[in-house]
Amino acid sequence: MATLNPTVTAQLSRGIGRLTNLTFSHGTGTTIHTTCGRSLLDFTTGIGVLNTGHSHPRVVAAAKAQLDRIVHAQVNIGYHEKMLELTEVLAPSLPGGLDTLFYSTTGAEAVENAVKVARCYTGKHAVVVFRGGYHGRTFGTMAMTTSSRIYRQKFGPLLPGIHVTPFPYEYHGITTQMALDELEQLFKDTLHEEDVAAFLIEPVLGEGGYVPAPPDFLQKIRQFAHSKKALLICDEVQTGFGRTGSLFASSSPYYGDVRPDILTMAKGIASGFPLSAVAMRREISEACEPGMLGGTYAGNALSCSAAVETQHVLREERLVENSEKMGVRLRDNLGAIQNSAFTKGLIGDIRGLGLMVGMEFAPDAVSGIKNKFCQEAVKEGLLVLGCSTFEVVRFVPPLNVTEEEVDAACEKVEAALKKIL
């Protein structure tokens, strides 16, 4: 099908926002192909899902082999081989202190289960989240998401007991100390520690603008949470599995050994197959009675088979190390563009960890410029997405992206910018 059928597209909900009207047919590595014959460099990777690239042959082969054995073995009925194998592979690589896993299907489902477990363990209900965070679109996670009002508008009233405090965003003047002061004030005028079950934070804001927390911030939040007898939940749905140049951001050299009490993961875990997980300390997990957790598709066998091979590929092909190396190259290239005369000072900030990179336009750039840029980039043969309530473009290539592909993408960035600046 080379062209869109308007009768068919009219039957799809208008509630879905789309970057393009392209129809994709297949993908290989960093390249995605359309039904009309175009090939584009994909620096979105399904919003940080395809860490091993499109259709990695080893992951595809593992999934095909699993199709011949069993596709769905429901978690509340019994165990299945691939879930047990995945657990053997994942458990040794988890941040320190995390030794128990629960599998689910989506990132939002993982976050909701993390909050359920935190409430169960602490006997408390309130959750502190950080401004700009994105945690999902379900009814519970929607209340915890503040990266954009579009995710929650007209859906209220939302889940109660969610309290928002600033995330350090130094480009917009919010320092670590300011954020910590606001958090202290929240507990003076609004919250009591006897009510707070958990603090939920992304080590790097995702939808909120690809903003890494300052190196010492996560450690200070952990200390503060524990001083209030609350748990720290790190949402690594997007940052996990090498995206930031470390397998998990919360145990990276950048942040040190944060040791969250609970960690959520999804996206890059299975190279595009729907799977998520919650990792926690055993004593926290033991608070839940059998039957309190579950889900029809939780830990699906086909997804687990893809996840097992994904972990092997990440390690054996050294994709985590490549993420760090190519991330430096990407940021350096974008920095050179930022400093070029033709940008007229309108690119304000280049930031990120590993291959989770944000480019923010300066405040005096025209409103809506990130969307204009993304559309021009598509014309140049590059897929990138905007994010944040500010004018931010994110770059999320596969972790096996090459130097040549990074350089080619940046050439397309420069060409697109020259058309709009």
Side-chain angles (χ1 to χ4, degrees):
M1 181 171 71
T3 59
L4 287 175
N5 183 335
T7 302
V8 175
T9 55
Q11 293 173 310
L12 297 173
S13 171
R14 68 184 295 268
I16 298 291
R18 290 184 179 83
L19 172 67
T20 77
N21 284 323
L22 296 172
T23 300
F24 301 111
S25 58
H26 61 290
T28 50
T30 310
T31 303
I32 192 167
H33 308 275
T34 73
T35 54
C36 57
R38 290 194 67 191
S39 298
L40 302 96
L41 280 176
D42 185 3
F43 273 46
T44 68
T45 55
I47 313 185
V49 170
L50 302 168
N51 286 11
T52 61
H54 285 279
S55 303
H56 192 288
R58 288 178 57 179
V59 178
V60 170
K64 286 181 176 178
Q66 185 62 32
L67 282 170
D68 288 331
R69 293 182 57 79
I70 191 166
V71 173
H72 178 60
Q74 213 279 329
V75 68
N76 297 105
I77 307 300
Y79 300 101
H80 63 76
E81 291 176 311
K82 286 300 176 181
M83 179 183 289
L84 298 176
E85 186 179 349
L86 177 58
T87 302
E88 288 182 5
V89 172
L90 270 186
S93 64
L94 295 172
L98 304 180
D99 57 6
T100 307
L101 287 155
F102 166 72
Y103 296 102
S104 48
T105 310
T106 67
E109 191 180 1
V111 171
E112 290 214 1
N113 277 288
V115 171
K116 284 167 60 177
V117 171
R119 285 180 165 184
C120 182
Y121 176 74
T122 63
K124 301 188 284 186
H125 72 278
V127 179
V128 176
V129 299
F130 293 80
R131 185 171 300 131
Y134 177 89
H135 303 290
R137 295 174 181 263
T138 57
F139 218 77
T141 56
M142 179 171 56
M144 305 175 216
T145 292
T146 56
S147 56
S148 173
R149 67 181 185 182
I150 192 68
Y151 301 123
R152 52 164 60 197
Q153 67 185 42
K154 300 183 179 180
F155 295 142
L158 304 178
L159 181 73
I162 309 300
H163 301 270
V164 184
T165 192
F167 185 98
Y169 198 156
E170 294 189 357
Y171 185 67
H172 288 281
I174 304 173
T175 65
T176 292
Q177 192 57 53
M178 291 171 64
L180 292 171
D181 289 345
E182 287 292 323
L183 181 56
E184 290 275 7
Q185 188 62 35
L186 183 66
F187 274 79
K188 292 177 181 177
D189 59 32
T190 304
L191 286 177
H192 194 286
E193 64 186 63
E194 292 181 1
D195 295 325
V196 180
F199 290 66
L200 172 64
I201 189 168
E202 295 175 291
V204 181
L205 287 185
E207 296 283 331
Y210 277 39
V211 185
D216 61 342
F217 188 69
L218 292 184
Q219 296 280 5
K220 290 180 177 178
I221 293 302
R222 181 181 186 274
Q223 294 165 9
F224 188 89
H226 286 187
S227 76
K228 305 300 182 184
K229 296 181 172 57
L231 301 182
L232 174 63
I233 303 172
C234 277
D235 182 347
E236 294 227 37
V237 166
Q238 189 160 178
T239 54
F241 300 102
R243 175 54 57 189
T244 64
S246 298
L247 193 64
F248 294 102
S250 56
S251 57
S252 67
Y254 182 81
Y255 289 117
D257 190 8
V258 176
R259 289 182 172 255
D261 300 294
I262 302 176
L263 183 144
T264 61
M265 61 194 95
K267 288 189 181 286
I269 190 172
S271 297
F273 288 83
L275 184 69
S276 62
V278 182
M280 65 202 95
R281 299 200 316 271
R282 182 169 303 280
E283 66 175 286
I284 296 172
S285 174
E286 292 294 324
C288 294
E289 298 289 337
M292 293 177 73
L293 303 177
T296 300
Y297 298 104
N300 172 266
L302 184 60
S303 294
C304 283
S305 70
V308 169
E309 195 60 32
T310 296
Q311 307 316 305
H312 293 321
V313 169
L314 288 173
R315 182 178 66 253
E316 293 166 18
E317 298 185 9
R318 301 184 65 82
L319 298 192
V320 178
E321 293 85 349
N322 195 61
S323 174
E324 172 63 22
K325 180 181 177 182
M326 291 301 102
V328 171
R329 189 179 188 91
L330 176 57
R331 293 192 299 276
D332 285 349
N333 285 0
L334 292 174
I337 294 171
Q338 176 188 23
N339 294 325
S340 298
F342 81 89
T343 63
K344 307 169 188 175
L346 292 178
I347 297 177
D349 195 26
I350 304 295
R351 56 178 178 255
L353 296 175
L355 284 170
M356 189 172 181
V357 177
M359 177 179 77
E360 182 164 354
F361 289 95
D364 51 350
V366 63
S367 177
I369 193 170
K370 65 183 176 187
N371 297 326
K372 294 177 182 177
F373 169 78
C374 290
Q375 293 303 318
E376 288 299 331
V378 170
K379 295 175 185 177
E380 295 295 330
L382 174 67
L383 290 180
V384 288
L385 283 168
C387 61
S388 175
T389 54
F390 300 111
E391 299 290 344
V392 181
V393 176
R394 52 184 154 173
F395 297 83
V396 208
L399 306 190
N400 49 10
V401 66
T402 65
E403 292 182 352
E404 293 76 17
E405 289 168 332
V406 168
D407 293 347
C410 290
E411 289 174 4
K412 297 177 187 298
V413 167
E414 183 171 347
L417 286 170
K418 286 179 176 178
K419 290 182 178 180
I420 64 171
L421 296 179

